Amino acid sequence: MALEFSVTQSRTGDTIVVAVGGEVDMLTAPVVEKAAAAAVLEPDAVRVVVDMTSVSFLDSTGLGALVRVRELAESNRTDLVLRDLSPEILRLFELVGLRTVFDIEPRG
């Protein structure tokens, strides 16, 4: 059973957490990209964490969205972190050569 898709945002000081849940695919990736990009563009945001604890699936469209957000964060001098990727999604990042491109941290 797939989790219902969701994107929520919370803030602690200069860190914004964008929590994503469910499947990130061609239908939902634009929503994730828009939310994460908006967080990156917040004037006083120093760090944006995309919490993927509840992401059950990520396809190439989702990967592309995250790459675009990373490029935006880099040009905006905002730290972008991906948190708590499942072993399957982490493996996907490794297969396509993105594991070392992103700052990926375990949940904590």
Side-chain angles (χ1 to χ4, degrees):
M1 180 172 124
L3 297 172
E4 186 173 328
F5 176 75
S6 65
V7 177
T8 59
Q9 182 176 312
S10 61
R11 179 184 205 114
T12 305
D14 59 8
T15 298
I16 299 174
V17 177
V18 178
V20 182
E23 296 184 357
V24 180
D25 56 23
M26 64 186 273
L27 296 175
T28 59
V31 178
V32 173
E33 183 173 354
K34 183 177 179 181
V40 164
L41 293 174
E42 284 286 324
D44 54 348
V46 173
R47 185 171 189 252
V48 173
V49 177
V50 179
D51 187 337
M52 299 180 64
T53 304
S54 298
V55 173
S56 58
F57 175 80
L58 181 76
D59 72 2
S60 61
T61 313
L63 280 173
L66 292 172
V67 167
R68 287 186 295 278
V69 171
R70 183 191 168 280
E71 291 169 351
L72 180 63
E74 189 172 275
S75 68
N76 202 51
R77 296 186 178 169
T78 304
D79 293 331
L80 179 69
V81 177
L82 303 182
R83 178 183 292 158
D84 199 23
L85 279 64
S86 70
E88 295 81 13
I89 293 173
L90 187 57
R91 178 73 177 135
L92 176 62
F93 273 76
E94 291 171 354
L95 287 172
V96 298
L98 292 174
R99 173 63 182 95
T100 58
V101 171
F102 283 89
D103 184 4
I104 300 174
E105 68 180 28
R107 191 173 192 187

